[in-house]
Amino acid sequence: MEAVLEVRQVQVTFQTEKGDIAPVENVDFRLGKGETLAIVGESGSGKSVTSLSIMGLLGKAGRVSRGSISFDGRELTGLTARALNRIRGNEISMIFQEPMSALNPVLTIGHQLAEQIRKHRKLSRKEARAEGEAMLRKVGIARAESIMREYPFALSGGMLQRVMIAMAMSCNPKVLIADEPTTALDVTIQAQILRLMKGLKKEFGTSIVLITHDMNVVAEMADRVIVMYGGEVVEEADVFRLFDHHRHPYTKGLLECIPQIGGGKGERLAAIAGTVPLPQHMPTGCRFQDRCPHVMDRCREQHPPLLAAGPGHQVRCWLAADGEGGAGDGQTR
């Protein structure tokens, strides 16, 4: 599959008062045309920082200190702000986790949507508003004309997320990055948003990078999955292989946390003990060692590389290197 986005051995560094920290290291993946790639992991695993590095939105303190990010054959790292602005919102768009904080509270929906369209397309204000209304209808908003006159605070979370999707898709981008697009939405609205994204992907042929911690969303949306932990990729496989033949103990833990229909009354939900280590306190060796039920001396002494575990399947775990069954092999679904 031809790649539209390639991230190669990327390290992201932030300057702090106590020195530089690297919350993301050695991240490597390809996104094919028309593909949905899910990046999963707990808060602090490096998912959102990875997406912001692609968009060039790391702020003054952050930078891509090593590696390469290539979009459609063009290198993004090192581009000027002006050059990035021509790509952002046009060829690569992003849906942010909190739509209320991403929209300007003192400007109407119509003003912001039309401004986004006019920034990248040579249209008059009237034409841009008409395009904005058409996009709102496309994302399932029936009374698009009246919504254009509303301010963000007047809309529900689900409606705001639809507005954000309309804004992101208004210039028909080649890549859409969706950072936790269904967080804080009830399950009915969540299902509607996911169906909407799948429909737009099919209509426009857009490639999607989906940032999430919800494995149910991954099962619904993804073609391929990257699992991140401690700022690095610990497992990568297509969605069916990941669910049926996962090899990393962390992936197994994430899958076991999914609530099961028909569970016994009073049965406790599974949880992964402990927390993700801070970037400035990463352990020597495997970064999952303090939470892993299979930890060995080798795990505490040597940092595992990504190892082949099958066709298109990589895992960062010494159990895979030893030829053992790993953490999953179809035991969790």
Side-chain angles (χ1 to χ4, degrees):
M1 184 184 293
E2 186 180 353
V4 66
L5 179 69
E6 292 189 79
V7 175
R8 304 186 196 94
Q9 293 299 299
V10 161
Q11 174 178 292
V12 176
T13 303
F14 284 89
Q15 291 180 323
T16 72
E17 294 178 355
K18 296 183 178 180
D20 288 356
I21 60 168
V24 165
E25 293 185 274
N26 305 318
V27 173
D28 199 299
F29 63 83
R30 299 170 78 253
L31 176 68
K33 288 188 175 180
E35 180 182 41
T36 297
L37 173 70
I39 303 180
V40 303
E42 296 166 279
S43 296
S45 62
K47 311 183 302 298
S48 294
V49 172
T50 298
S51 66
L52 292 174
S53 70
I54 296 169
M55 296 293 290
L57 295 174
L58 293 170
K60 293 181 180 179
R63 72 187 191 280
V64 176
S65 52
R66 188 175 67 231
S68 166
I69 301 174
S70 175
F71 168 69
D72 224 14
R74 290 169 285 175
E75 180 61 37
L76 298 184
T77 57
L79 283 184
T80 63
R82 187 173 182 178
L84 275 173
N85 281 335
R86 287 196 292 267
I87 296 172
R88 280 194 300 244
N90 184 26
E91 297 181 85
I92 306 177
S93 287
M94 187 166 183
I95 304 169
F96 293 93
Q97 185 171 349
E98 293 292 342
M100 184 60 82
S101 61
L103 292 167
N104 191 323
V106 300
L107 297 176
T108 64
I109 297 299
H111 182 102
Q112 296 180 69
L113 187 48
E115 184 181 50
Q116 158 70 10
I117 293 169
R118 292 190 72 214
K119 181 178 180 181
H120 299 290
R121 297 166 63 183
K122 295 179 180 179
L123 297 177
S124 67
R125 282 188 171 83
K126 185 177 180 180
E127 290 170 332
R129 285 188 70 86
E131 283 287 321
E133 285 184 27
M135 279 306 304
L136 290 180
R137 292 190 186 95
K138 196 176 286 291
V139 298
I141 297 176
R143 50 189 189 93
E145 188 175 350
S146 63
I147 291 297
M148 292 282 281
R149 296 191 295 268
E150 296 282 7
Y151 289 88
F153 67 83
L155 304 183
S156 67
M159 192 72 80
L160 284 173
Q161 200 61 283
R162 288 173 185 271
V163 169
M164 290 299 298
I165 294 172
M167 196 173 290
M169 297 300 295
S170 61
C171 294
N172 192 13
K174 293 181 179 179
V175 173
L176 175 66
I177 300 174
D179 188 359
E180 302 278 8
T182 58
T183 296
L185 301 179
D186 67 55
V187 290
T188 303
I189 303 299
Q190 180 182 95
Q192 292 173 2
I193 295 297
L194 294 180
R195 281 199 301 271
L196 170 61
M197 290 177 62
K198 290 171 78 172
L200 291 171
K201 171 190 169 181
K202 185 177 180 180
E203 180 177 352
F204 294 106
T206 307
S207 304
I208 298 175
V209 177
L210 177 64
I211 313 294
T212 185
H213 64 274
D214 189 334
M215 297 302 286
N216 288 311
V217 172
V218 172
E220 175 74 17
M221 292 289 295
D223 300 307
R224 221 158 32 88
V225 188
I226 285 174
V227 180
M228 289 189 68
Y229 183 83
E232 63 183 7
V233 176
V234 295
E235 189 156 15
E236 177 182 1
D238 71 68
V239 66
F240 297 106
R241 187 172 181 88
L242 188 95
F243 274 76
D244 290 341
H245 302 291
H246 45 275
R247 300 289 298 276
H248 200 282
Y250 180 60
T251 308
K252 183 177 190 295
L254 289 177
L255 290 168
E256 287 181 342
C257 291
I258 300 174
Q260 300 295 316
I261 295 175
K265 185 177 180 180
E267 184 178 327
R268 292 179 63 87
L269 293 175
I272 305 173
T275 57
V276 180
L278 296 173
Q280 59 269 40
H281 299 301
M282 288 297 173
T284 303
C286 176
R287 296 181 177 182
F288 189 59
Q289 59 180 268
D290 291 334
R291 306 173 72 187
C292 181
H294 308 289
V295 64
M296 306 176 290
D297 289 342
R298 186 181 190 184
C299 304
R300 301 191 184 281
E301 297 164 359
Q302 300 175 6
H303 185 254
L306 274 174
L307 302 163
H313 189 177
Q314 298 183 94
V315 59
R316 194 183 298 276
C317 181
W318 289 122
L319 288 175
D322 293 339
E324 298 183 23
D329 260 11
Q331 298 304 307
T332 305
R333 183 95 187 236

